[in-house]
Amino acid sequence: MNREQISLRNENYGKKIRAIFDNPLVMNLMPLIGFLIVLVVFTILTKGKIIQPTNINLILGQVYVLMIAATGVFMIMTVGGIDFSQGSILGFSSIIISWVSHYNIVLAVICGILGGAVMGAVNGFFHVRFRIASFIVTICTMYLFRGLCEYITTTGPVAASVGVVVLNKTWLKMLLTLIVLAIGFFTFTFTRIGFDLKAIGASENAARFSGSRPAFSKFMVFVTAGALTGFASFLNVMRVGSITGTAGTQMETQILIALVLGGMPINGGSKARFTNIIIGVLTYSVLQTSLPMVFTQSATQQLVQGIIFLIVVALTMDRKNIRVIK
Amino acid sequence: MTKTILVSDKVNKFFGNTHAVNDVSISFNSGEIHGLIGENGSGKSTFSSMLCGIHPISSGKFLLEKKEINADSIVEANRLGISMIVQEMGTLPGLTVAENIFLGDEDQFTNFGIKNTGAMNRKAQSYLVEYGFEHINASRMVDLYSFEDRKLVEIVKATYFKPKIVVVDETTTALSQAGRESLYHHMNRIKAEGGTIIFISHDLSEVLEHTDRVSVLRDGEYIGTVNSDETTEDDLKNLMVGRELGEHYYRTDFGESYSSEVVLSVKDISVPGFVKNVSFDLHKGEILGIGGLSSCGMREVGKAIFGAAYDRTGTVTLTDGTTIDNVLSAIKNSIGYASKDRDNESIVLESSIRDNITLPSLDLLAKNGIQSAKKLNRFAKKNAELMKVRMSGISQYVSQLSGGNKQKVVLARWLGRGSNILVLDSPTRGIDVGVKADIYALMGELKEQGKSIIMISEEMQELLGMSDRIIIMKDGEINGEFLRSPELGEEDLIQKMI
């Protein structure tokens, strides 16, 4: 074969491979395939340790808080926004819950949710009212809320009442997470809210001319995300028992990475699927738990983690709708 | 003795699914003014953009003096001897007049990397004087001059270097009579010097008066070339539209054909900067045309009726006294709107046909707030098929459809919702003739069913052909009103527009 034929053949292979990736079924399944590959690879690398019951429990232990908080951020990303303040919101709501839990646990949960909602409302208000890009607003409030956490905990960590800590049961946490996911899934798939959010993410202007209310919806999405993280804080307090000023640090990046691993389109819009949350959080948690088993040094862990994220995202992300890379 | 200077050989252009220019082969002579006409969307501007290096050619070639040219930028085209005066703004704000004139050609004033601004200004000023535009100062910012003066600057910019080919793309609409005369004068000067002008205009009498030959495009295809002095405007129109459509393209009925019942009453609406105290009534079964120049405020009137202009004052009221103040109340009260900016305001481009059709009707389709996928699918399918949308299925993305089919999706969503009042802004803009005829036919049917339509349009033929009543706007105000009549002509409308 001469060079031209080879290049033609290679081009044809390229086309065929692209055609496979462009198939909508394959595209929807990519994140799931990614999850399975990660699972299989790490089962082999850890010589099966990762699928032993104790480790599965360890993985699930991380999943609950992340899954609930990611549900809120999923909605924010569907309308095309992003939120970096979720970790700080988790920290502050956790402090509120710990405080109030000494009086009444139900009241503590309600206060935690309300606190999260108020912080989300601050995000939404500045984003919608002053038309500031959501990533700017939430980077600012990330520091703002974190500052509040540190300020309150200067004299020492805030301990929750024992009543909360004894609730730290796997079945309860799993039940609460499933309830949140079920409500989220139902709202997103079977009410007009999901349709509106997707339309707004795809084209805010066109959505407005179709009877959606972009400004109101965007504000409400931030409030809801805050409230959900407020609720996730309750599960966080159960597990930790006592809250320091750094509680929830880095959670915002964990959520975003998990969603992207799950196939969430960065710019939001019609291609957002509720399953992005579940698959993404599971993939992330498997990676998080198994890396220390394979690589003992934490520096190596971070390095490998970064490389794996890049590879998975590069392979699974749907770029069709992204014209401008920001 | 005429000499061929430029030949286009089977030039094609595709934009996605749209075949904008289809195998166009035309030859242009040196020392002639060559008209290029066709309806909106017929491919004239696309054709000339390819010649000038703005769009790449899909297939085919341009031969300038028997050599194939393939400019990939305007600067490159200029170097080859081809320049263009464009339809929209062609000058860059924030630069001086001189900098605009010599844009892309600054090197002639640069010595050892340093620009000699003084020499550039003097040279520019001498050109301006030579062209008779002494009132323009080359060293001042171009922003300080009016739209018309900036067009004059563009004329200098496009022609000072004695190009072989100059494309004049609908420049005259922006110019006053004096500006036009000056443009014609320079066109003739270039012609006398052996250059070629490709003159694109919608004004057929102007085309016949100032050109030697005219080529006609229709739906991207080359129809033919005629000698201007042997041709009438009607001949050109027939070539542009195509004879077979002449008869049943528009409505053919005349006389009162709508009820006297008022369905929508617009009273004293104003939108700062666009609309001043506009009032009118819309009747049941009426097609009300609103026309004017593109900046006359008619689009904002459409948006204001649909509740989409935030700073509107005045009232929009239905028969039962309901007032329309926002998009939601408009949709709830049976008003539908198709924007001129279809891709940004009428449809969600990166979304499926199903989602687009169901979006405004979600409240009607829900049962206790719960949406059923089956019901949504059935609703979307029914309305898409009713409108004969050409699609692979309702889950196809709207971004893959042609302009005409997108517009059908827009209409399908409002008809599905059961809207009784439709505000259609430029309903056939960028739509090919076949779908155009479908849309006109649909408008006629809707009228029969007693629905009312407000049609905002820049195309006078469309206004005259479809409207029961025409309102002409000028500078944000109503400047004239006409009833449907066979005697009514374009001239009557134009008089009220300018």
Side-chain angles (χ1 to χ4, degrees), chain A residues 186 189-192 195-196 198-199 202-203 205-213 270-271 320-321 323, chain B residues 303 306 308 310 327-328 331 337 344-345 347-348 350-351 355 359-360 362-363 369-371 376 397 413-414:
Chain A
F186 179 82
T189 319
F190 294 109
T191 72
R192 76 166 298 161
F195 294 87
D196 276 339
K198 284 197 271 189
S203 167
N205 233 337
R208 184 165 83 90
F209 279 88
S210 310
S212 302
R213 290 178 294 170
S270 325
K271 294 219 168 120
K320 250 193 186 161
N321 296 329
R323 289 189 208 89
Chain B
K303 286 206 168 106
F306 192 56
Y310 290 118
V327 176
L328 270 186
I331 294 176
Y337 174 72
N344 284 314
E345 296 182 341
I347 45 171
V348 185
E350 292 302 338
S351 184
D355 288 357
L359 194 57
L362 286 174
D363 54 336
I370 297 168
Q371 308 287 347
L376 295 183
Y397 269 47
R413 58 159 36 171
W414 298 121

Side-chain angles (χ1 to χ4, degrees), chain A residues 92 95 145-155 244-246 249:
Chain A
F92 197 74
I95 291 171
F145 301 148
R146 180 59 61 198
L148 290 175
C149 292
E150 306 263 5
Y151 189 75
I152 293 166
T153 54
T154 35
T155 52
T244 65
T246 55
T249 319

Side-chain angles (χ1 to χ4, degrees), chain B residues 10-22:
Chain B
K10 296 204 168 144
V11 169
N12 281 284
K13 179 73 196 176
F14 295 91
F15 290 113
N17 290 334
T18 322
H19 201 165
V21 173
N22 186 352

Side-chain angles (χ1 to χ4, degrees), chain A residues 266-304:
Chain A
I266 298 282
N267 291 349
S270 325
K271 294 219 168 120
R273 299 265 176 288
F274 199 77
T275 47
N276 298 150
I277 306 171
I278 297 160
I279 293 173
V281 172
L282 287 177
T283 312
Y284 178 80
S285 303
V286 169
L287 278 172
Q288 271 297 40
T289 317
S290 47
L291 278 172
M293 298 180 189
V294 183
F295 306 97
T296 39
Q297 277 195 324
S298 84
T300 330
Q301 284 170 30
Q302 297 218 4
L303 197 96
V304 174

Side-chain angles (χ1 to χ4, degrees), chain B residues 162-193:
Chain B
K162 309 243 180 303
K164 294 168 193 151
I165 314 278
V166 180
V167 179
V168 181
D169 188 357
E170 291 190 44
T171 305
T172 46
T173 47
L175 295 175
S176 68
Q177 199 54 39
R180 283 180 191 213
E181 291 302 334
S182 153
L183 176 67
Y184 299 146
H185 168 75
H186 288 288
M187 281 164 50
N188 281 313
R189 183 179 58 81
I190 291 164
K191 174 184 162 183
E193 290 165 358

